[in-house]
Amino acid sequence: MITDSRQITEHFHSTEFKCQHCGRIKIEEELVNKMEQLFAKLHASKCIISSGYRCKDYDIQIGGFAGRHSEGLAADCVYYDEDGNIIPSKIVICAAYDLGVFNGIANIDGNYVHLDNRKGSTYRGDEPKGNSSYWTNPYAYFGVSKDEVRIYTKEEVSNSDVNVYYRVQTQKHGWLPEVKNLEDYAGWEDSPIIGVAIKVDNGSLKYRVHIKDGEWLPYVNGYNINDIINGYAGDGRVIDAIEVYYNTPDSIRPYKKAKYKVNSYDWQYDNEKGNGQDGYAGAFGVNATKFQIVIE
Ligand SMILES: [Zn+2]
Ligand SMILES: [Zn+2]
């Protein structure tokens, strides 16, 4: 525990954490190191501490219960961005959560956050609502997107390749072997396709098929030829059109699309319409016999 006046890290001096009623200093170095890590992650320009150590007398005086602040394990603070503007607490909280080093994280008022280094338990608070834990994932709870946090963290999004795996069931041969990306096409000897199964190794997709002289079957998103409900699209009747939509995960930008074709018709992107696209691949009334897909 640090109890003297000194610079602890590049951006934090121990006196910033002193008790505002008696001036005594008591702050844990590990907590301050973690606050410095968060400072770097946010590309912050400054961090103002409104309350660090609170001696027991003071904490009880202001309605507390001599908790973490009285142990020198907590700080209430506000981080500022490079332009000197306050970084909203929900952003700071998501960045702190991603950093994964704070046992206690709470929103105080939309600007200030409570950070603590409590031992043996976690606290995920929203203090205007009380002193319990209120969330497990702050992105969902506070309605924050990864993109909003990246404005501050400037973290690169991976533009990794997404692989798609697929197979078709034909009238004549049953389920054919799996095809990866454009290494081959799915289909054989122009036998009509009656089932389609597709999966990706990053993100997710939904797909459906249209029955020749019939209707669209429900969307599915699974990949299991033994699961007739959600494992593949098709019901044994001949397929003439296929629609696929790729959902790009937060970890990948720019957004990607499913690019796919049936027989020798033009490529279709997701469920787009216009520019020669119909929203699906294939042609109503014409047997689908070849299928190819890639995620780009
Ligand atoms: Zn005091
Ligand atoms: Zn606090």
Side-chain angles (χ1 to χ4, degrees):
M1 248 347 129
I2 292 169
T3 55
D4 58 344
S5 169
R6 67 166 134 132
Q7 193 71 30
I8 305 172
T9 62
E10 185 182 352
H11 298 101
F12 295 101
H13 193 279
S14 66
T15 54
E16 296 175 78
F17 297 86
K18 70 173 188 262
C19 179
Q20 290 172 4
H21 122 286
C22 60
R24 268 190 288 161
I25 297 168
K26 180 182 178 185
I27 196 72
E28 190 200 34
E29 186 163 6
E30 188 175 286
L31 170 70
V32 182
N33 286 334
K34 290 175 177 182
M35 292 174 68
E36 185 72 42
Q37 282 180 56
L38 183 56
F39 194 108
K41 186 178 176 77
L42 288 166
H43 294 266
S45 58
K46 66 178 172 178
C47 177
I48 302 294
I49 293 152
S50 62
S51 185
Y53 174 57
R54 299 201 286 258
C55 72
K56 286 186 176 142
D57 289 347
Y58 179 51
D59 201 51
I60 288 163
Q61 189 184 312
I62 62 167
F65 51 92
R68 314 305 167 187
H69 284 278
S70 297
E71 298 174 50
L73 294 178
D76 299 341
C77 60
V78 57
Y79 283 87
Y80 289 79
D81 70 13
E82 291 172 320
D83 301 321
N85 299 311
I86 287 174
I87 305 175
S89 59
K90 63 183 182 179
I91 302 292
V92 177
I93 286 166
C94 288
Y97 170 81
D98 287 342
L99 195 57
V101 298
F102 292 101
N103 287 331
I105 307 172
N107 170 48
I108 295 177
D109 64 358
N111 291 327
Y112 280 82
V113 295
H114 165 98
L115 299 170
D116 76 52
N117 200 31
R118 68 185 59 204
K119 315 301 176 189
S121 64
T122 58
Y123 167 51
R124 304 289 185 237
D126 188 7
E127 296 190 349
K129 296 193 173 169
N131 285 318
S132 304
S133 282
Y134 288 92
W135 48 269
T136 49
N137 182 329
Y139 287 94
Y141 180 84
F142 294 104
V144 176
S145 72
K146 293 273 182 185
D147 285 343
E148 288 175 85
V149 176
R150 279 189 206 108
I151 291 169
Y152 298 91
T153 63
K154 306 179 196 302
E155 279 161 10
E156 297 283 320
V157 290
S158 68
N159 188 18
S160 60
D161 289 339
V162 176
N163 294 303
V164 58
Y165 302 87
Y166 54 105
R167 52 193 305 197
V168 299
Q169 179 187 27
T170 68
Q171 218 168 35
K172 192 170 163 189
H173 315 91
W175 284 101
L176 299 177
E178 183 177 273
V179 177
K180 178 184 177 186
N181 302 327
L182 302 182
E183 291 174 2
D184 196 355
Y185 65 83
W188 193 17
E189 293 180 335
D190 288 330
S191 176
I193 292 172
I194 58 173
V196 180
I198 316 170
K199 71 172 176 183
V200 285
D201 62 3
N202 200 344
S204 63
L205 43 74
K206 66 172 183 177
Y207 57 102
R208 64 176 180 167
V209 295
H210 185 266
I211 299 302
K212 187 181 177 187
D213 302 322
E215 70 286 358
W216 284 104
L217 298 183
Y219 287 103
V220 296
N221 55 34
Y223 185 80
N224 177 0
I225 61 171
N226 297 311
D227 174 3
I228 62 168
I229 305 297
N230 190 46
Y232 63 91
D235 64 1
R237 289 181 285 166
V238 175
I239 291 164
D240 59 11
I242 302 173
E243 180 190 317
V244 185
Y245 185 86
Y246 177 69
N247 291 302
T248 309
D250 283 341
S251 58
I252 296 178
R253 288 293 181 274
Y255 287 90
K256 291 177 180 285
K257 295 173 184 174
K259 174 186 167 185
Y260 56 105
K261 67 190 294 184
V262 163
N263 301 349
S264 53
Y265 297 112
D266 286 341
W267 291 103
Q268 170 72 35
Y269 290 85
D270 280 342
N271 56 358
E272 290 177 1
K273 291 182 179 167
N275 294 324
Q277 302 184 96
D278 306 314
Y280 56 85
F284 290 164
V286 179
N287 294 350
T289 58
K290 287 192 178 91
F291 177 63
Q292 275 191 303
I293 181 168
V294 67
I295 307 298
E296 294 184 344

